[in-house]
Each structure stands twice: as structure tokens, then as C-alpha cells.
Amino acid sequence: MNRAETVILFLVFFAALALFAESLSFGFVCDDFVLVQRVRSEGFFFSWGGPEGDIYLRPVTVLTYYLDNLLWGTDPMGYHLTNTLWHLVCAILVYALGLEVFQRKKMALAAAGVFLLLACHSEAVTWVAGRTDLVSGALGIGSVVLFLRGRFSAIPLYLAALLAKESVLTIPL
């Protein structure tokens, strides 16, 4: 990575932190309470379901909540920080994907900037339970970048993305 790319990554990092810094003071809402309590009481080995007993098999995402529980306990600030960092990872991967697709740093940076600023992403970042989209997005985008680079590691990364949220099933299409 050259100096210009390093500067770009730092700019993206600070933009993400600035955009979502206020969310670090947010508490838990809605499903967050259930999710955090289940991780605390049942540990990593549970399938988190909705209020009607719907079952989702998302062990990769649950693992991130489990690690947050180990680091932060019940402090919502840590969970929100983790979501902000996942959003940052997604933006950096959008930049990498932009480099693969456009072959121009300015276009790739514009794509990452648009991704970072899209208002529709704020729910996934500020709602702890919205992390499923961030984790699956990061792993899914990462798998596409690796695929375009001809790397076999795209396959296990894609499978991990599937275990974060089932909607990434559409990526190969």
C-alpha cells in the first residue's frame, strides 16, 4: 500500500467515526435487549430468533455479539463502536472493489464516500441488531474483491458471509 492509499484509508476511517460518533452515546433499543441478554445468558451457542420464535442461523454475527459481550459487557457504547468499525470495514472494501471495477483511485474513493454517506446505512450502524447487514456486507464484498482477483479464499469468505446473513446468497447471481 502506497502513501496515497494510506491517506485515503485514514480519511475514510475518520469520516466514518465523525459521521457516527453520536451513535456511541445511544443505548440499546428493541431487539438489542433480547440479543444482548441471550448472548449473556446462553453464550455463543444459540440461534437467535424473533419474538414469534423465528430461528436464524447466523453464527458469524452471533460470534461478534459474543466477543462484544466479553469486551464490553452490557455497555451499549462498545456495541455501537463495533458497528461503526464494521461500517468502516465495508467502506474500505467498497474502495477495494471500486479499484477492481473502475481501475481508478478517484472513482474508487467516490464509491467508498457515497457508501459511507448513504442515509440508508445509518440504521445498520446505529441499531446494534442491524449488525447482521454490516458483517454479511463486509464478508460478501470482501469475497467479491477476492473473486475478482482470482483468489480461492473468496469461497470460504463467501461461506462465512452466508453464516452472517442468508441474503448474501444472491451475490453469485
Side-chain angles (χ1 to χ4, degrees):
M1 184 181 319
N2 64 32
R3 184 180 168 121
E5 289 174 327
T6 304
V7 169
I8 287 170
L9 290 179
F10 276 108
L11 288 174
V12 171
F13 176 77
F14 288 114
L17 288 180
L19 284 170
F20 294 102
E22 188 176 351
S23 74
L24 299 180
S25 67
F26 295 175
F28 294 126
V29 296
C30 303
D31 296 341
D32 298 347
F33 294 105
V34 174
L35 179 63
V36 171
Q37 182 54 40
R38 286 201 63 191
V39 168
R40 290 185 65 74
S41 65
E42 300 175 40
F44 169 70
F45 296 101
F46 79 88
S47 291
W48 180 58
E52 286 81 39
D54 299 332
I55 296 176
Y56 302 103
L57 182 61
R58 297 175 177 171
V60 172
T61 303
V62 171
L63 178 61
T64 69
Y65 295 128
Y66 179 75
L67 294 173
D68 269 0
N69 177 57
L70 293 176
L71 287 171
W72 313 108
T74 59
D75 183 0
M77 185 276 306
Y79 292 78
H80 289 292
L81 177 63
T82 301
N83 277 19
T84 302
L85 293 175
W86 275 107
H87 185 58
L88 170 66
V89 169
C90 286
I92 290 169
L93 289 168
V94 166
Y95 174 75
L97 180 60
L99 283 177
E100 293 297 320
V101 172
F102 302 120
Q103 301 290 312
R104 294 176 48 203
K105 290 181 183 178
K106 287 182 182 179
M107 292 292 287
L109 182 59
V114 169
F115 179 89
L116 210 72
L117 296 172
L118 279 173
C120 64
H121 294 160
S122 64
E123 183 178 351
V125 179
T126 60
W127 180 36
V128 173
R131 185 179 303 173
T132 55
D133 294 327
L134 300 169
V135 175
S136 65
L139 298 173
I141 296 166
S143 72
V144 171
V145 170
L146 290 172
F147 176 79
L148 292 175
R149 293 179 180 173
R151 305 275 170 78
F152 177 79
S153 54
I155 295 170
L157 196 61
Y158 173 71
L159 295 174
L162 275 173
L163 292 173
K165 188 173 182 183
E166 56 283 347
S167 61
V168 298
L169 186 64
T170 61
I171 286 177
L173 301 175

